Amino acid sequence: MKHSTTRQTRRGRGPAHRIGRSLAFVLPVVLVLSGTLAVTRVNWSGDPSDSVLAASEASSSHASARAARAPHEVLRDRLLTELQEEDPGVALTHLQQAVDEHPSLAGHCASIARALGRAAVRVYGPTRAQAYARPVCDTAFASGVLAAHG
């Protein structure tokens, strides 16, 4: 096996090598920082009032905020209002009807039912709230009651 007799020198590597070495150092740092910033902006509590976007939504007009909201958010807010004005049973019935009429809401059914369960505990207390539990969205209402009580 014969090797080349020309020696590779540091000067011969060129600008591509320098750029590559710089990227190898800078890119991981940038990725870690951007990932950290992204994680800090996520609303992990599940409470919409804790959201980073809550301040900007409050400053925007109510009409434009309603137009920009997703259908499942509008449904959740309407059902939470129903829960307070009537009872959790009515809200759960309307949730099931909404999911039956609009299957695209099925992916949000459990989170809405959990929110209803938490709200029911705040309004009615844990014992009375649990009495309204029914198998809407795989017992997510009951898990919301348990989460708010425990």
Side-chain angles (χ1 to χ4, degrees):
M1 179 153 77
K2 190 171 184 178
H3 295 285
S4 170
T5 57
T6 59
R7 270 184 69 195
Q8 188 86 350
T9 61
R10 196 177 229 342
R11 223 175 54 192
R13 290 186 180 161
H17 182 74
R18 284 192 304 273
I19 291 171
R21 287 186 69 185
S22 297
L23 280 176
F25 175 73
V26 172
L27 191 59
V29 173
V30 170
L31 290 174
V32 166
L33 288 176
S34 65
T36 302
L37 291 174
V39 168
T40 59
R41 294 181 85 59
V42 172
N43 178 9
W44 296 102
S45 70
D47 184 10
S49 64
D50 290 343
S51 176
V52 174
L53 300 176
S56 65
E57 286 179 9
S59 65
S60 67
S61 70
H62 291 291
S64 64
R66 282 189 185 151
R69 296 182 58 200
H72 68 276
E73 293 172 340
V74 173
L75 174 65
R76 181 193 62 226
D77 291 347
R78 185 181 56 132
L79 293 174
L80 287 170
T81 302
E82 264 184 22
L83 181 137
Q84 292 177 351
E85 292 174 354
E86 297 190 36
D87 66 59
V90 172
L92 287 170
T93 298
H94 289 152
L95 173 60
Q96 188 64 54
Q97 289 171 348
V99 171
D100 290 344
E101 291 171 9
H102 305 284
S104 62
L105 294 171
H108 304 283
C109 185
S111 66
I112 293 171
R114 275 192 296 277
L116 290 172
R118 289 189 298 268
V121 168
R122 285 192 300 272
V123 175
Y124 297 99
T127 305
R128 189 164 169 215
Q130 186 61 38
Y132 289 102
R134 59 175 83 159
V136 175
C137 309
D138 296 326
T139 66
F141 177 83
S143 69
V145 169
L146 180 64
H149 179 60

